[in-house]
């Protein structure tokens, strides 16, 4: 599946839960990508994004939010390497998810673009 906003795109492969960020709208099935992450369903409406690599832009993250909302998710937990950030998510301090990022998908969808 390919989702674009007219300027950038993401691809999603449901079999392995892989999201790849593409810095253009591709014309073929195997385009180069600038970032990648794995998707794991934790429950009916909670997802984990992990094994991230590369630079995920805000434009790409809006497409990821759109994809995850369409898949029925409402919340995402995201693992990032130390010193790396996740656009539109908040850092978790303490508890089992300490150091991870929490992304309220519905809140991002409803927030004005800035």
């Amino acid at each position: 599946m390919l989702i674009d906003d007219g300027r950038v795109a993401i691809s999603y492969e449901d079999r392995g839960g892989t999201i790849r960020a593409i810095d253009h709208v591709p014309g073929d099935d195997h385009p180069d990508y600038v970032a990648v992450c794995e998707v794991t369903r934790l429950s009916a409406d909670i997802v984990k994004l992990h094994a991230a690599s590369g630079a995920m832009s805000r434009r790409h993250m809006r497409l990821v939010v759109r994809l995850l909302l369409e898949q029925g998710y409402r919340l995402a937990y995201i693992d990032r390497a130390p010193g790396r950030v996740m656009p539109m998510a908040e850092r978790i301090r303490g508890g089992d998810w300490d150091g991870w990022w929490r992304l309220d998908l519905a809140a991002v969808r409803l927030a004005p673009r800035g």
Side-chain angles (χ1 to χ4, degrees):
M1 173 190 307
L2 185 71
I3 300 171
D4 72 82
D5 69 359
R7 288 190 48 203
V8 300
I10 60 171
S11 68
Y12 178 70
E13 297 172 18
D14 190 39
R15 73 176 190 279
T18 301
I19 294 175
R20 292 181 182 91
I22 306 161
D23 65 359
H24 61 284
V25 178
D28 60 24
D29 290 339
H30 301 287
D32 291 335
Y33 53 90
V34 295
V36 63
C37 70
E38 293 298 311
V39 179
T40 302
R41 180 180 294 272
L42 297 179
S43 70
D45 59 357
I46 299 175
V47 65
K48 176 176 77 167
L49 303 179
H50 55 103
S53 177
M56 186 80 67
S57 71
R58 284 187 170 275
R59 291 187 79 93
H60 289 117
M61 279 307 298
R62 288 204 178 276
L63 295 174
V64 170
V65 167
R66 185 169 114 192
L67 168 73
L68 296 176
L69 284 167
E70 289 172 0
Q71 297 287 318
Y73 298 113
R74 66 173 178 79
L75 184 66
Y77 289 99
I78 305 156
D79 186 23
R80 293 293 287 153
R84 301 294 297 224
V85 299
M86 180 53 65
M88 298 177 278
E90 64 180 290
R91 186 78 185 235
I92 299 170
R93 304 281 183 209
D96 292 341
W97 294 93
D98 185 45
W100 284 60
W101 296 79
R102 182 181 185 278
L103 181 59
D104 181 331
L105 300 166
V108 170
R109 178 186 62 193
L110 299 173
R113 291 183 184 194

